[in-house]
Amino acid sequence: FPSHDSVMFPENYLAKYAVIAANGGIADQSIPNNTWTKITFDNAVVNQGNITDVANSRIKCDSNGDGEVLYLITGTVRVATTDGARYELAIYKNGTEIYPQSSYAPGAAITLNLQINCYVFLQKDEYIELWMRQNSGVAATVTSSVQTQMYAVKQITNINQPFNR
């Protein structure tokens, strides 16, 4: 039998996921011109594994210090756009941008859903956030609705050590 420390227990195999959204009564969010701004959330739609931190608008790792977890992260923001402006989304890990921005220039004054997707490795006490920047010359409005959300789907857990990458 392998030692207790090297065995991946069944709960670590389970796919866990979490969704936080801005649809629990929070006001629309203003995004200043040319300033990276964290998107705020006020509702845990799904919280398997207790990995949401709604008060800080974050999703955190569920490894409990025994390894590293790979998550698929998706962030969606519903925003009123301005013709000629550029809108960017980024995933931040522990307060630092880790994924190059998804950039949109819609070419019209419309309301649309912007989205970013990436894989993120997280260890105990690490977290991810969704950030946005725009250059319309004025503040942009992110709509508080179920379309403004961030979710994480646990892909795999490596027990006792980080992945070899």
Side-chain angles (χ1 to χ4, degrees):
F1 265 118
S3 73
H4 172 76
D5 289 340
S6 65
V7 175
M8 185 179 282
F9 293 97
E11 61 270 14
N12 291 312
Y13 282 113
L14 297 176
K16 294 182 182 175
Y17 62 98
V19 181
I20 56 178
N23 67 340
I26 192 172
D28 290 349
Q29 184 175 357
S30 180
I31 307 296
N33 188 53
N34 282 325
T35 303
W36 280 107
T37 305
K38 182 168 76 168
I39 301 299
T40 56
F41 301 96
D42 69 336
N43 187 22
V45 179
V46 177
N47 193 13
Q48 286 188 345
N50 194 31
I51 62 175
T52 65
D53 178 358
V54 177
N56 292 303
S57 299
R58 299 174 176 167
I59 295 178
K60 56 189 180 176
C61 186
D62 72 342
S63 77
N64 298 318
D66 60 0
E68 185 174 52
V69 179
L70 175 64
Y71 290 97
L72 173 60
I73 309 297
T74 300
T76 305
V77 173
R78 185 156 180 84
V79 63
T81 65
T82 301
D83 189 10
R86 180 166 300 282
Y87 299 82
E88 298 171 289
L89 292 179
I91 300 294
Y92 278 50
K93 176 180 172 181
N94 304 325
T96 303
E97 182 180 341
I98 61 158
Y99 189 76
Q101 306 92 18
S102 286
S103 184
Y104 301 85
I110 58 174
T111 299
L112 65 127
N113 294 334
L114 310 179
Q115 188 173 80
I116 186 170
N117 297 289
C118 68
Y119 286 96
V120 178
F121 291 95
L122 295 176
Q123 295 181 34
K124 182 181 180 183
D125 298 326
E126 292 187 321
Y127 60 88
I128 54 104
E129 300 166 326
L130 180 62
W131 288 65
M132 181 181 165
R133 176 173 68 181
Q134 55 86 25
N135 71 351
S136 68
V138 297
T141 300
V142 170
T143 305
S144 292
S145 71
V146 73
Q147 286 101 359
T148 297
Q149 65 178 352
M150 180 172 58
Y151 63 90
V153 179
K154 181 178 180 178
Q155 302 294 299
I156 191 169
T157 301
N158 191 25
I159 300 298
N160 291 323
Q161 61 187 356
F163 288 99
N164 184 13
R165 53 185 160 92

